Amino acid sequence: MAQCVIRYSSLMSRWQPDAQRRLERAALELFAKQGFADTTVPQIAARAGLTNRTFFRYFADKREVLFTIEAEFPGRVAQVVASAPTSSTPMPIVRYGAVAVAAAWFEDQREYLTLRRAIIQSDDGLKERELSKQAALTQVVTDGFIDLGFGHGASLLSAHLFMTVLGLSVDQWLDDAGRSLVDCVHDTLRVLETVTSDGAD
Amino acid sequence: MAQCVIRYSSLMSRWQPDAQRRLERAALELFAKQGFADTTVPQIAARAGLTNRTFFRYFADKREVLFTIEAEFPGRVAQVVASAPTSSTPMPIVRYGAVAVAAAWFEDQREYLTLRRAIIQSDDGLKERELSKQAALTQVVTDGFIDLGFGHGASLLSAHLFMTVLGLSVDQWLDDAGRSLVDCVHDTLRVLETVTSDGAD
């Protein structure tokens, strides 16, 4: 474990292409140690052994360091849309997509996501930024469903269902170290099915 | 119509208890006329014929003027919870609640909500504040379902469904002057039923 850290660090300091990841790691460590509000861009850059100018090449501000994971989301959604089973209704795609994204993307990032969530929850501005990013991602998912040929209303609702299932599952998973994220997604999908299965009026 | 406006205005200037509403109206007019960013608290107070100090008695900042409607929400949710039909599953309550809130609360505020939405959409900070308020309201609704005896997971999902149905319906209604909000809610509920009615895996 210690060896991994050392290898990781030496790799970090050697290759300029890893500047972004070095800045992310330095920022996360400082946010956790001294608080988000009290951490400055020069401190982050210094800890990463880089200049402020390099920082601003990768990030618009110190908040943005926490949202690189969401920058990958549109690409992931495109992959899911391309590999989704053919279906005349969107719900099987919601289920398939939530499991696929959970398995491929989040499962190995538990430690990072736990720390990230704690930092975001500590600051109102970060919470607002997180909600704003999620709203943008919901729009990306809506467009994905529209691309698959579903109507506008069904696509909007399916995208909201997808984001809700994924978001609640991630929260549940970060609260309970004993379970996998995919298990939590299956659980949430079961509860959703129970909630929505009663007859309409 | 003109007479209503005159009567409303004269009422406004007569009664101190209406200070909050005068400030709201003045702010909305200024935001619409000269933009949110370029409007200051002293301008709002002056237009309402009141002091800055009075403004800050009612609102923490100029953004908050746009969110008084959401301050009424917890009370509305409590009413809906108290009057909801007895049900062993939450979905009938989601449906009942969305229609009840739409009919009682929003239906006569089309003009105000259209203007408010345009102002919020014009400013990233306002959009973030709106999302943050909605997240807090989702928590209030979740607590409402928990109070009715539903489990935590089902309550969370039901609250998200409720907020999604209501939010998408309001958007649809503000886009289409020819329909009532209650009609839009029924439409959204029908689409939700179609989306979620296929068998699970």
Side-chain angles (χ1 to χ4, degrees):
Chain A
M1 189 65 180
Q3 205 192 349
C4 287
V5 172
I6 292 161
R7 247 198 273 141
Y8 183 70
S9 306
S10 79
L11 195 78
M12 293 290 91
S13 55
R14 256 168 115 148
W15 299 100
Q16 188 54 25
D18 286 307
Q20 183 179 344
R21 233 163 256 282
R22 277 162 64 194
L23 289 162
E24 268 182 66
R25 167 175 277 243
L28 218 69
E29 287 168 354
L30 287 172
F31 293 162
K33 195 174 132 195
Q34 63 191 40
F36 174 78
D38 292 335
T39 300
T40 64
V41 168
Q43 288 172 344
I44 297 168
R47 190 179 182 100
L50 296 163
T51 62
N52 290 356
R53 196 168 158 173
T54 305
F55 179 92
F56 289 114
R57 197 177 305 146
Y58 292 99
F59 306 104
D61 56 40
K62 67 173 177 167
R63 283 203 215 172
E64 281 303 312
V65 179
L66 292 163
F67 297 102
T68 51
I69 193 169
E70 292 177 349
E72 300 161 14
F73 194 86
R76 295 282 173 181
V77 169
Q79 276 176 18
V80 167
V81 165
S83 64
T86 309
S87 170
S88 60
T89 56
M91 205 55 208
I93 301 167
V94 168
R95 285 193 289 268
Y96 168 85
V99 173
V101 168
W105 192 26
F106 285 126
E107 200 68 89
D108 62 348
Q109 308 205 50
R110 197 172 194 288
E111 199 184 345
Y112 166 75
L113 289 169
T114 303
L115 187 54
R116 178 181 177 276
R117 183 177 66 164
I119 294 164
I120 289 176
Q121 287 303 316
S122 75
D123 184 276
D124 284 345
L126 288 175
K127 281 193 271 187
E128 291 194 345
R129 177 84 56 115
E130 170 83 332
L131 291 167
S132 166
K133 296 276 179 183
Q134 280 170 7
L137 298 182
T138 305
Q139 190 52 56
V140 169
V141 179
T142 302
D143 293 343
F145 279 104
I146 289 171
D147 288 347
L148 286 172
F150 296 107
H152 188 250
S155 296
L156 271 170
L157 274 169
S158 302
H160 279 273
L161 285 173
F162 174 85
M163 294 298 289
T164 299
V165 166
L166 202 57
L168 296 182
S169 302
V170 168
D171 266 340
Q172 196 188 340
W173 170 61
L174 295 181
D175 286 338
D176 181 355
R179 308 179 58 214
S180 76
L181 176 55
V182 168
D183 276 352
C184 293
V185 169
H186 282 300
D187 257 20
T188 308
L189 288 169
R190 263 192 296 276
V191 176
L192 176 64
E193 203 196 328
T194 308
V195 164
T196 57
S197 64
D198 68 87
D201 44 25
Chain B
M1 190 67 180
Q3 204 192 349
C4 286
V5 173
I6 292 161
R7 249 198 272 140
Y8 183 71
S9 307
S10 78
L11 195 77
M12 293 290 92
S13 56
R14 257 169 113 152
W15 300 100
Q16 189 54 24
D18 286 308
Q20 183 179 345
R21 232 162 258 283
R22 277 160 64 191
L23 288 162
E24 268 182 65
R25 166 175 278 241
L28 219 68
E29 287 167 354
L30 288 172
F31 293 161
K33 196 175 131 196
Q34 65 191 36
F36 174 77
D38 292 334
T39 300
T40 64
V41 167
Q43 288 172 344
I44 297 168
R47 190 179 183 100
L50 296 163
T51 62
N52 291 355
R53 196 169 159 174
T54 304
F55 179 94
F56 288 113
R57 197 177 303 148
Y58 291 99
F59 306 104
D61 56 40
K62 67 174 176 167
R63 283 203 214 171
E64 282 302 313
V65 179
L66 291 163
F67 297 101
T68 51
I69 192 168
E70 293 177 349
E72 299 162 15
F73 195 86
R76 295 283 173 179
V77 169
Q79 275 175 20
V80 167
V81 165
S83 64
T86 310
S87 170
S88 60
T89 56
M91 205 55 208
I93 300 167
V94 169
R95 287 194 287 269
Y96 168 85
V99 173
V101 168
W105 192 26
F106 285 125
E107 200 68 89
D108 62 348
Q109 308 205 51
R110 199 175 193 287
E111 199 184 345
Y112 165 75
L113 289 169
T114 304
L115 187 54
R116 177 180 177 277
R117 182 175 69 163
I119 294 164
I120 289 176
Q121 286 303 317
S122 74
D123 183 275
D124 284 345
L126 289 175
K127 280 194 271 188
E128 291 195 344
R129 177 85 56 115
E130 171 82 332
L131 290 167
S132 165
K133 296 275 180 183
Q134 279 169 7
L137 300 182
T138 305
Q139 191 51 56
V140 169
V141 179
T142 302
D143 293 343
F145 280 104
I146 289 172
D147 288 347
L148 285 172
F150 296 107
H152 188 250
S155 296
L156 272 169
L157 274 169
S158 302
H160 278 273
L161 286 172
F162 174 84
M163 293 299 289
T164 299
V165 165
L166 202 58
L168 296 181
S169 301
V170 167
D171 267 340
Q172 194 187 341
W173 171 59
L174 295 182
D175 286 338
D176 181 355
R179 308 177 60 213
S180 76
L181 176 55
V182 168
D183 277 351
C184 293
V185 169
H186 282 298
D187 256 20
T188 308
L189 287 169
R190 264 191 296 275
V191 177
L192 177 65
E193 203 196 329
T194 309
V195 164
T196 57
S197 64
D198 68 86
D201 44 27

